[in-house]
Amino acid sequence: MTSPPTTQAMEQAERKPITVRTLRKMARDGEVFSSLTCYDATTARWLERAGVHVLLVGDTAAEVVLGYESTIHMPLDVAVALTAGVKRGAPNTMVMADMPFMSYQADDGDAVRNAGRFLTEGLADVVKIEADASLAPLVGKMARAGIPVCGHVGSKPQQVGLTGGYSSAGKTAAAAARIVEDACALEEAGCVLLLVEAIPPEVAELIVKKTKAPVIGIGAGPGCHGQILVLQDLLGLTDWQPGFAPPVVHLGEAIRDACRDWVKQVSRREATPHRYVMAPGEAEKLGE
Ligand code: KIV
């Protein structure tokens, strides 16, 4: 027998699925949509109940889930599996899968096949690639194969080996113009969404003005159609957050304190209030 659904679960089931069309309409109507990273089914369930529109299974999982120093260590198979978990937890939310470092840069054929895996095995609705105009032909191939793509421009964490660390982008007019050109080229090639990271607001606003795809911003000012943050930053679970992601709650400390209490309960033998009861008459036979 299965337990009856909770009110929370029923509300979640009633939500209309979020699609690219939904986001386009919201963008047209000036309604800002929200997006957070997510890497597991349980959290996805709560984020869908919170009304988040897009869940990104980011390659930041390499850092916040797997503990690496940078996003380039994200294994493709793990990313696909995590994506499917998120979609199972939040079936009515748009799930975007971040294509890991080296899953799309070396060979277009492999890139299209890997992107396809995110849709078939990973149940993703959209894949995201960190890109500039030079990847427009690849976006075209993916689009022709029926794969919805989000082009990520501005600061690109997968380039950390070249840049020497995470940093902002588009601070000079020339650099900003290149980012705008990249965004336009990617949209023209078929990107259904754009994501802009760590760029000045006026650069993001120019991209919003010059393109038709909904633009999701992270550290790119309030002018974007949607906003995204890394969930662990928002919830105060990371030891350091970028300036654009101040935590709204200090969940790390709350977890530490709750678990510290549990450790104390365990040490006092108070931690298991529930007792299983032996069948009548069986306890007496024990040890006979
Ligand atoms: O991987 C990720 O979490 C991202 C966000 C920072 C946008 O790409």
Side-chain angles (χ1 to χ4, degrees), residues 37 39 56-61 71 98 128 130 152 157 195 197 218 228 230:
T37 63
Y39 317 97
L56 168 67
V57 188
D59 56 2
T60 37
T71 61
D98 223 352
K128 173 166 88 60
E130 293 183 13
H152 175 152
L195 185 144
E197 176 163 353
I218 174 162
I228 182 164
V230 171

mmCIF file with all atom_site columns, all heavy atoms in Angstrom, residues 37 39 56-61 71 98 128 130 152 157 195 197 218 228 230, ligand 1:
data_model
loop_
_atom_site.group_PDB
_atom_site.id
_atom_site.type_symbol
_atom_site.label_atom_id
_atom_site.label_alt_id
_atom_site.label_comp_id
_atom_site.label_asym_id
_atom_site.label_entity_id
_atom_site.label_seq_id
_atom_site.pdbx_PDB_ins_code
_atom_site.Cartn_x
_atom_site.Cartn_y
_atom_site.Cartn_z
_atom_site.occupancy
_atom_site.B_iso_or_equiv
_atom_site.pdbx_formal_charge
_atom_site.auth_seq_id
_atom_site.auth_comp_id
_atom_site.auth_asym_id
_atom_site.auth_atom_id
_atom_site.pdbx_PDB_model_num
ATOM   1   N N   . THR A 1 37  ? 20.428 26.195 -9.401  1.00 0.00 ? 37  THR A N   1
ATOM   2   C CA  . THR A 1 37  ? 21.078 24.914 -9.690  1.00 0.00 ? 37  THR A CA  1
ATOM   3   C C   . THR A 1 37  ? 20.486 23.862 -8.764  1.00 0.00 ? 37  THR A C   1
ATOM   4   O O   . THR A 1 37  ? 19.967 24.179 -7.679  1.00 0.00 ? 37  THR A O   1
ATOM   5   C CB  . THR A 1 37  ? 22.602 24.975 -9.468  1.00 0.00 ? 37  THR A CB  1
ATOM   6   O OG1 . THR A 1 37  ? 22.863 25.237 -8.096  1.00 0.00 ? 37  THR A OG1 1
ATOM   7   C CG2 . THR A 1 37  ? 23.239 26.033 -10.352 1.00 0.00 ? 37  THR A CG2 1
ATOM   8   N N   . TYR A 1 39  ? 20.926 19.326 -7.973  1.00 0.00 ? 39  TYR A N   1
ATOM   9   C CA  . TYR A 1 39  ? 21.701 18.143 -8.367  1.00 0.00 ? 39  TYR A CA  1
ATOM   10  C C   . TYR A 1 39  ? 21.091 16.830 -7.872  1.00 0.00 ? 39  TYR A C   1
ATOM   11  O O   . TYR A 1 39  ? 21.711 15.780 -7.994  1.00 0.00 ? 39  TYR A O   1
ATOM   12  C CB  . TYR A 1 39  ? 23.141 18.266 -7.837  1.00 0.00 ? 39  TYR A CB  1
ATOM   13  C CG  . TYR A 1 39  ? 23.729 19.655 -8.009  1.00 0.00 ? 39  TYR A CG  1
ATOM   14  C CD1 . TYR A 1 39  ? 23.723 20.585 -6.964  1.00 0.00 ? 39  TYR A CD1 1
ATOM   15  C CD2 . TYR A 1 39  ? 24.270 20.050 -9.230  1.00 0.00 ? 39  TYR A CD2 1
ATOM   16  C CE1 . TYR A 1 39  ? 24.246 21.859 -7.129  1.00 0.00 ? 39  TYR A CE1 1
ATOM   17  C CE2 . TYR A 1 39  ? 24.804 21.325 -9.407  1.00 0.00 ? 39  TYR A CE2 1
ATOM   18  C CZ  . TYR A 1 39  ? 24.779 22.222 -8.349  1.00 0.00 ? 39  TYR A CZ  1
ATOM   19  O OH  . TYR A 1 39  ? 25.293 23.486 -8.523  1.00 0.00 ? 39  TYR A OH  1
ATOM   20  N N   . LEU A 1 56  ? 18.878 24.083 -13.096 1.00 0.00 ? 56  LEU A N   1
ATOM   21  C CA  . LEU A 1 56  ? 20.086 23.795 -13.868 1.00 0.00 ? 56  LEU A CA  1
ATOM   22  C C   . LEU A 1 56  ? 20.915 22.750 -13.134 1.00 0.00 ? 56  LEU A C   1
ATOM   23  O O   . LEU A 1 56  ? 21.321 22.974 -11.988 1.00 0.00 ? 56  LEU A O   1
ATOM   24  C CB  . LEU A 1 56  ? 20.928 25.074 -14.040 1.00 0.00 ? 56  LEU A CB  1
ATOM   25  C CG  . LEU A 1 56  ? 22.346 24.852 -14.581 1.00 0.00 ? 56  LEU A CG  1
ATOM   26  C CD1 . LEU A 1 56  ? 22.316 24.341 -16.029 1.00 0.00 ? 56  LEU A CD1 1
ATOM   27  C CD2 . LEU A 1 56  ? 23.168 26.129 -14.502 1.00 0.00 ? 56  LEU A CD2 1
ATOM   28  N N   . VAL A 1 57  ? 21.124 21.621 -13.786 1.00 0.00 ? 57  VAL A N   1
ATOM   29  C CA  . VAL A 1 57  ? 22.054 20.638 -13.227 1.00 0.00 ? 57  VAL A CA  1
ATOM   30  C C   . VAL A 1 57  ? 23.429 21.084 -13.719 1.00 0.00 ? 57  VAL A C   1
ATOM   31  O O   . VAL A 1 57  ? 23.903 20.676 -14.784 1.00 0.00 ? 57  VAL A O   1
ATOM   32  C CB  . VAL A 1 57  ? 21.699 19.208 -13.681 1.00 0.00 ? 57  VAL A CB  1
ATOM   33  C CG1 . VAL A 1 57  ? 22.562 18.201 -12.932 1.00 0.00 ? 57  VAL A CG1 1
ATOM   34  C CG2 . VAL A 1 57  ? 20.221 18.937 -13.434 1.00 0.00 ? 57  VAL A CG2 1
ATOM   35  N N   . GLY A 1 58  ? 23.997 22.001 -12.974 1.00 0.00 ? 58  GLY A N   1
ATOM   36  C CA  . GLY A 1 58  ? 25.214 22.690 -13.415 1.00 0.00 ? 58  GLY A CA  1
ATOM   37  C C   . GLY A 1 58  ? 26.447 21.817 -13.234 1.00 0.00 ? 58  GLY A C   1
ATOM   38  O O   . GLY A 1 58  ? 26.466 20.896 -12.411 1.00 0.00 ? 58  GLY A O   1
ATOM   39  N N   . ASP A 1 59  ? 27.490 22.186 -13.999 1.00 0.00 ? 59  ASP A N   1
ATOM   40  C CA  . ASP A 1 59  ? 28.767 21.486 -13.771 1.00 0.00 ? 59  ASP A CA  1
ATOM   41  C C   . ASP A 1 59  ? 29.407 21.976 -12.473 1.00 0.00 ? 59  ASP A C   1
ATOM   42  O O   . ASP A 1 59  ? 30.438 21.452 -12.042 1.00 0.00 ? 59  ASP A O   1
ATOM   43  C CB  . ASP A 1 59  ? 29.708 21.623 -14.976 1.00 0.00 ? 59  ASP A CB  1
ATOM   44  C CG  . ASP A 1 59  ? 29.993 23.066 -15.352 1.00 0.00 ? 59  ASP A CG  1
ATOM   45  O OD1 . ASP A 1 59  ? 29.490 23.981 -14.668 1.00 0.00 ? 59  ASP A OD1 1
ATOM   46  O OD2 . ASP A 1 59  ? 30.724 23.280 -16.344 1.00 0.00 ? 59  ASP A OD2 1
ATOM   47  N N   . THR A 1 60  ? 28.765 22.939 -11.805 1.00 0.00 ? 60  THR A N   1
ATOM   48  C CA  . THR A 1 60  ? 29.176 23.311 -10.446 1.00 0.00 ? 60  THR A CA  1
ATOM   49  C C   . THR A 1 60  ? 29.010 22.121 -9.501  1.00 0.00 ? 60  THR A C   1
ATOM   50  O O   . THR A 1 60  ? 29.538 22.136 -8.394  1.00 0.00 ? 60  THR A O   1
ATOM   51  C CB  . THR A 1 60  ? 28.333 24.488 -9.910  1.00 0.00 ? 60  THR A CB  1
ATOM   52  O OG1 . THR A 1 60  ? 26.983 24.336 -10.365 1.00 0.00 ? 60  THR A OG1 1
ATOM   53  C CG2 . THR A 1 60  ? 28.888 25.818 -10.346 1.00 0.00 ? 60  THR A CG2 1
ATOM   54  N N   . ALA A 1 61  ? 28.303 21.076 -9.948  1.00 0.00 ? 61  ALA A N   1
ATOM   55  C CA  . ALA A 1 61  ? 28.230 19.838 -9.155  1.00 0.00 ? 61  ALA A CA  1
ATOM   56  C C   . ALA A 1 61  ? 29.636 19.306 -8.885  1.00 0.00 ? 61  ALA A C   1
ATOM   57  O O   . ALA A 1 61  ? 29.887 18.687 -7.846  1.00 0.00 ? 61  ALA A O   1
ATOM   58  C CB  . ALA A 1 61  ? 27.394 18.786 -9.879  1.00 0.00 ? 61  ALA A CB  1
ATOM   59  N N   . THR A 1 71  ? 35.036 23.457 -12.056 1.00 0.00 ? 71  THR A N   1
ATOM   60  C CA  . THR A 1 71  ? 33.949 22.728 -12.722 1.00 0.00 ? 71  THR A CA  1
ATOM   61  C C   . THR A 1 71  ? 34.457 21.765 -13.806 1.00 0.00 ? 71  THR A C   1
ATOM   62  O O   . THR A 1 71  ? 33.694 20.921 -14.267 1.00 0.00 ? 71  THR A O   1
ATOM   63  C CB  . THR A 1 71  ? 32.965 23.711 -13.386 1.00 0.00 ? 71  THR A CB  1
ATOM   64  O OG1 . THR A 1 71  ? 33.656 24.478 -14.368 1.00 0.00 ? 71  THR A OG1 1
ATOM   65  C CG2 . THR A 1 71  ? 32.335 24.640 -12.365 1.00 0.00 ? 71  THR A CG2 1
ATOM   66  N N   . ASP A 1 98  ? 23.915 21.045 -17.845 1.00 0.00 ? 98  ASP A N   1
ATOM   67  C CA  . ASP A 1 98  ? 25.162 21.681 -18.250 1.00 0.00 ? 98  ASP A CA  1
ATOM   68  C C   . ASP A 1 98  ? 26.048 20.628 -18.893 1.00 0.00 ? 98  ASP A C   1
ATOM   69  O O   . ASP A 1 98  ? 26.333 19.602 -18.270 1.00 0.00 ? 98  ASP A O   1
ATOM   70  C CB  . ASP A 1 98  ? 25.860 22.172 -16.970 1.00 0.00 ? 98  ASP A CB  1
ATOM   71  C CG  . ASP A 1 98  ? 26.436 23.538 -17.112 1.00 0.00 ? 98  ASP A CG  1
ATOM   72  O OD1 . ASP A 1 98  ? 26.441 24.070 -18.233 1.00 0.00 ? 98  ASP A OD1 1
ATOM   73  O OD2 . ASP A 1 98  ? 26.869 24.085 -16.085 1.00 0.00 ? 98  ASP A OD2 1
ATOM   74  N N   . LYS A 1 128 ? 22.982 23.094 -21.859 1.00 0.00 ? 128 LYS A N   1
ATOM   75  C CA  . LYS A 1 128 ? 23.691 24.385 -21.852 1.00 0.00 ? 128 LYS A CA  1
ATOM   76  C C   . LYS A 1 128 ? 25.161 24.152 -22.197 1.00 0.00 ? 128 LYS A C   1
ATOM   77  O O   . LYS A 1 128 ? 25.764 23.202 -21.682 1.00 0.00 ? 128 LYS A O   1
ATOM   78  C CB  . LYS A 1 128 ? 23.567 25.051 -20.482 1.00 0.00 ? 128 LYS A CB  1
ATOM   79  C CG  . LYS A 1 128 ? 24.409 26.311 -20.322 1.00 0.00 ? 128 LYS A CG  1
ATOM   80  C CD  . LYS A 1 128 ? 24.018 27.110 -19.109 1.00 0.00 ? 128 LYS A CD  1
ATOM   81  C CE  . LYS A 1 128 ? 24.697 26.732 -17.821 1.00 0.00 ? 128 LYS A CE  1
ATOM   82  N NZ  . LYS A 1 128 ? 26.166 26.858 -17.828 1.00 0.00 ? 128 LYS A NZ  1
ATOM   83  N N   . GLU A 1 130 ? 28.947 26.359 -22.630 1.00 0.00 ? 130 GLU A N   1
ATOM   84  C CA  . GLU A 1 130 ? 29.694 27.620 -22.563 1.00 0.00 ? 130 GLU A CA  1
ATOM   85  C C   . GLU A 1 130 ? 30.253 27.846 -23.964 1.00 0.00 ? 130 GLU A C   1
ATOM   86  O O   . GLU A 1 130 ? 30.940 26.972 -24.508 1.00 0.00 ? 130 GLU A O   1
ATOM   87  C CB  . GLU A 1 130 ? 30.826 27.512 -21.537 1.00 0.00 ? 130 GLU A CB  1
ATOM   88  C CG  . GLU A 1 130 ? 30.308 27.386 -20.122 1.00 0.00 ? 130 GLU A CG  1
ATOM   89  C CD  . GLU A 1 130 ? 31.407 27.358 -19.066 1.00 0.00 ? 130 GLU A CD  1
ATOM   90  O OE1 . GLU A 1 130 ? 32.568 27.687 -19.382 1.00 0.00 ? 130 GLU A OE1 1
ATOM   91  O OE2 . GLU A 1 130 ? 31.093 26.993 -17.926 1.00 0.00 ? 130 GLU A OE2 1
ATOM   92  N N   . HIS A 1 152 ? 25.836 29.843 -23.136 1.00 0.00 ? 152 HIS A N   1
ATOM   93  C CA  . HIS A 1 152 ? 26.342 30.518 -21.927 1.00 0.00 ? 152 HIS A CA  1
ATOM   94  C C   . HIS A 1 152 ? 27.513 31.414 -22.339 1.00 0.00 ? 152 HIS A C   1
ATOM   95  O O   . HIS A 1 152 ? 28.545 30.907 -22.786 1.00 0.00 ? 152 HIS A O   1
ATOM   96  C CB  . HIS A 1 152 ? 26.771 29.408 -20.946 1.00 0.00 ? 152 HIS A CB  1
ATOM   97  C CG  . HIS A 1 152 ? 27.426 29.879 -19.685 1.00 0.00 ? 152 HIS A CG  1
ATOM   98  N ND1 . HIS A 1 152 ? 27.365 29.151 -18.511 1.00 0.00 ? 152 HIS A ND1 1
ATOM   99  C CD2 . HIS A 1 152 ? 28.173 30.960 -19.381 1.00 0.00 ? 152 HIS A CD2 1
ATOM   100 C CE1 . HIS A 1 152 ? 28.030 29.767 -17.559 1.00 0.00 ? 152 HIS A CE1 1
ATOM   101 N NE2 . HIS A 1 152 ? 28.542 30.876 -18.066 1.00 0.00 ? 152 HIS A NE2 1
ATOM   102 N N   . PRO A 1 157 ? 33.362 29.589 -16.652 1.00 0.00 ? 157 PRO A N   1
ATOM   103 C CA  . PRO A 1 157 ? 34.205 28.869 -15.695 1.00 0.00 ? 157 PRO A CA  1
ATOM   104 C C   . PRO A 1 157 ? 35.012 27.710 -16.285 1.00 0.00 ? 157 PRO A C   1
ATOM   105 O O   . PRO A 1 157 ? 36.069 27.368 -15.758 1.00 0.00 ? 157 PRO A O   1
ATOM   106 C CB  . PRO A 1 157 ? 33.194 28.367 -14.652 1.00 0.00 ? 157 PRO A CB  1
ATOM   107 C CG  . PRO A 1 157 ? 32.072 29.341 -14.731 1.00 0.00 ? 157 PRO A CG  1
ATOM   108 C CD  . PRO A 1 157 ? 31.985 29.739 -16.172 1.00 0.00 ? 157 PRO A CD  1
ATOM   109 N N   . LEU A 1 195 ? 22.424 32.398 -21.468 1.00 0.00 ? 195 LEU A N   1
ATOM   110 C CA  . LEU A 1 195 ? 22.759 32.640 -20.062 1.00 0.00 ? 195 LEU A CA  1
ATOM   111 C C   . LEU A 1 195 ? 23.990 33.524 -20.044 1.00 0.00 ? 195 LEU A C   1
ATOM   112 O O   . LEU A 1 195 ? 24.959 33.256 -20.771 1.00 0.00 ? 195 LEU A O   1
ATOM   113 C CB  . LEU A 1 195 ? 23.015 31.316 -19.335 1.00 0.00 ? 195 LEU A CB  1
ATOM   114 C CG  . LEU A 1 195 ? 23.262 31.433 -17.825 1.00 0.00 ? 195 LEU A CG  1
ATOM   115 C CD1 . LEU A 1 195 ? 22.654 30.246 -17.078 1.00 0.00 ? 195 LEU A CD1 1
ATOM   116 C CD2 . LEU A 1 195 ? 24.751 31.537 -17.492 1.00 0.00 ? 195 LEU A CD2 1
ATOM   117 N N   . GLU A 1 197 ? 26.915 35.369 -17.669 1.00 0.00 ? 197 GLU A N   1
ATOM   118 C CA  . GLU A 1 197 ? 27.490 35.266 -16.320 1.00 0.00 ? 197 GLU A CA  1
ATOM   119 C C   . GLU A 1 197 ? 28.504 36.374 -16.057 1.00 0.00 ? 197 GLU A C   1
ATOM   120 O O   . GLU A 1 197 ? 29.413 36.613 -16.849 1.00 0.00 ? 197 GLU A O   1
ATOM   121 C CB  . GLU A 1 197 ? 28.167 33.888 -16.151 1.00 0.00 ? 197 GLU A CB  1
ATOM   122 C CG  . GLU A 1 197 ? 28.877 33.755 -14.801 1.00 0.00 ? 197 GLU A CG  1
ATOM   123 C CD  . GLU A 1 197 ? 29.209 32.336 -14.385 1.00 0.00 ? 197 GLU A CD  1
ATOM   124 O OE1 . GLU A 1 197 ? 28.784 31.387 -15.074 1.00 0.00 ? 197 GLU A OE1 1
ATOM   125 O OE2 . GLU A 1 197 ? 29.886 32.191 -13.356 1.00 0.00 ? 197 GLU A OE2 1
ATOM   126 N N   . ILE A 1 218 ? 23.317 35.696 -14.279 1.00 0.00 ? 218 ILE A N   1
ATOM   127 C CA  . ILE A 1 218 ? 23.913 35.410 -12.963 1.00 0.00 ? 218 ILE A CA  1
ATOM   128 C C   . ILE A 1 218 ? 25.003 36.459 -12.775 1.00 0.00 ? 218 ILE A C   1
ATOM   129 O O   . ILE A 1 218 ? 25.953 36.529 -13.554 1.00 0.00 ? 218 ILE A O   1
ATOM   130 C CB  . ILE A 1 218 ? 24.436 33.951 -12.848 1.00 0.00 ? 218 ILE A CB  1
ATOM   131 C CG1 . ILE A 1 218 ? 25.170 33.750 -11.507 1.00 0.00 ? 218 ILE A CG1 1
ATOM   132 C CG2 . ILE A 1 218 ? 25.301 33.510 -14.023 1.00 0.00 ? 218 ILE A CG2 1
ATOM   133 C CD1 . ILE A 1 218 ? 25.352 32.299 -11.100 1.00 0.00 ? 218 ILE A CD1 1
ATOM   134 N N   . ILE A 1 228 ? 19.482 33.430 -12.126 1.00 0.00 ? 228 ILE A N   1
ATOM   135 C CA  . ILE A 1 228 ? 19.899 32.108 -11.622 1.00 0.00 ? 228 ILE A CA  1
ATOM   136 C C   . ILE A 1 228 ? 20.997 32.278 -10.587 1.00 0.00 ? 228 ILE A C   1
ATOM   137 O O   . ILE A 1 228 ? 21.789 33.227 -10.661 1.00 0.00 ? 228 ILE A O   1
ATOM   138 C CB  . ILE A 1 228 ? 20.387 31.195 -12.782 1.00 0.00 ? 228 ILE A CB  1
ATOM   139 C CG1 . ILE A 1 228 ? 20.779 29.806 -12.249 1.00 0.00 ? 228 ILE A CG1 1
ATOM   140 C CG2 . ILE A 1 228 ? 21.556 31.793 -13.555 1.00 0.00 ? 228 ILE A CG2 1
ATOM   141 C CD1 . ILE A 1 228 ? 20.893 28.739 -13.316 1.00 0.00 ? 228 ILE A CD1 1
ATOM   142 N N   . VAL A 1 230 ? 23.611 29.643 -7.834  1.00 0.00 ? 230 VAL A N   1
ATOM   143 C CA  . VAL A 1 230 ? 23.965 28.311 -7.339  1.00 0.00 ? 230 VAL A CA  1
ATOM   144 C C   . VAL A 1 230 ? 23.240 28.135 -6.002  1.00 0.00 ? 230 VAL A C   1
ATOM   145 O O   . VAL A 1 230 ? 23.369 28.974 -5.105  1.00 0.00 ? 230 VAL A O   1
ATOM   146 C CB  . VAL A 1 230 ? 25.497 28.178 -7.179  1.00 0.00 ? 230 VAL A CB  1
ATOM   147 C CG1 . VAL A 1 230 ? 25.872 26.877 -6.462  1.00 0.00 ? 230 VAL A CG1 1
ATOM   148 C CG2 . VAL A 1 230 ? 26.189 28.253 -8.543  1.00 0.00 ? 230 VAL A CG2 1
HETATM 149 O O1  . KIV B 2 .   ? 27.237 25.228 -13.503 1.00 0.00 ? 1   KIV B O1  1
HETATM 150 C C1  . KIV B 2 .   ? 26.610 26.174 -13.042 1.00 0.00 ? 1   KIV B C1  1
HETATM 151 O O2  . KIV B 2 .   ? 26.168 26.152 -11.896 1.00 0.00 ? 1   KIV B O2  1
HETATM 152 C C2  . KIV B 2 .   ? 26.394 27.351 -13.876 1.00 0.00 ? 1   KIV B C2  1
HETATM 153 C C3  . KIV B 2 .   ? 25.822 28.551 -13.205 1.00 0.00 ? 1   KIV B C3  1
HETATM 154 C C4  . KIV B 2 .   ? 26.902 29.257 -12.477 1.00 0.00 ? 1   KIV B C4  1
HETATM 155 C C5  . KIV B 2 .   ? 25.094 29.399 -14.143 1.00 0.00 ? 1   KIV B C5  1
HETATM 156 O O3  . KIV B 2 .   ? 26.693 27.334 -15.034 1.00 0.00 ? 1   KIV B O3  1
#
